Amino acid sequence: QVQLVESGGGLVQAGGSLRLSCAASGRTFGNYAMGWFRQAPGKEREFVAAISSGGGSIFYADSVKGRFTISRDNAKNTVYLQMNSLKPEDTALYYCAARRLVVDTTVVGYDYWGQGTQVTVSS
């Protein structure tokens, strides 16, 4: 069982930056692939970024490639999402998620979810 708590969301102007963090409970964080997803009002939850358990494989949605960076610190049981050059269309509730072992880019592929942190980008 893994419990996830996101933080770092907020209100930022277009072009600004935010760094999201996701702290995980448990002693086996290093066995889990981690993902970031987002959901805007009236839209389906969508993939943003994912990182393998050891950090060697990373994937991004085309819409954030070159602007967002996912990373993890297994010693701190934490995964991060650095978001630069933010756009109004990045406004959403951002969730982190965990699944055992193999990294995945689909919503249904993840077993554990946090409550989300709101990111709002003003134009």
Side-chain angles (χ1 to χ4, degrees):
Q1 192 82 4
V2 177
Q3 292 184 327
L4 305 171
V5 179
E6 303 96 335
S7 61
L11 174 64
V12 63
Q13 288 189 331
S17 298
L18 282 174
R19 187 195 197 200
L20 306 184
S21 299
C22 174
S25 65
R27 295 174 292 178
T28 59
F29 179 71
N31 291 341
Y32 289 84
M34 301 296 296
W36 284 99
F37 295 79
R38 66 187 182 187
Q39 188 166 17
K43 294 188 176 181
E44 294 187 350
R45 193 170 300 189
E46 65 176 7
F47 169 73
V48 174
I51 187 168
S52 60
S53 57
S57 294
I58 289 175
F59 301 88
Y60 296 101
D62 287 343
S63 58
V64 307
K65 205 170 291 184
R67 300 187 298 121
F68 291 11
T69 302
I70 189 172
S71 62
R72 65 188 296 160
D73 185 338
N74 285 352
K76 295 183 178 180
N77 282 15
T78 302
V79 63
Y80 305 97
L81 185 68
Q82 178 66 44
M83 305 186 296
N84 299 330
S85 302
L86 282 160
K87 304 175 181 180
E89 51 264 43
D90 294 318
T91 295
L93 190 60
Y94 282 71
Y95 298 90
C96 75
R99 59 167 283 151
R100 282 189 60 83
L101 300 178
V102 180
V103 67
D104 195 279
T105 61
T106 65
V107 172
V108 297
Y110 284 79
D111 303 307
Y112 305 100
W113 293 83
Q115 294 299 305
T117 185
Q118 178 67 39
V119 171
T120 303
V121 184
S122 62
S123 56

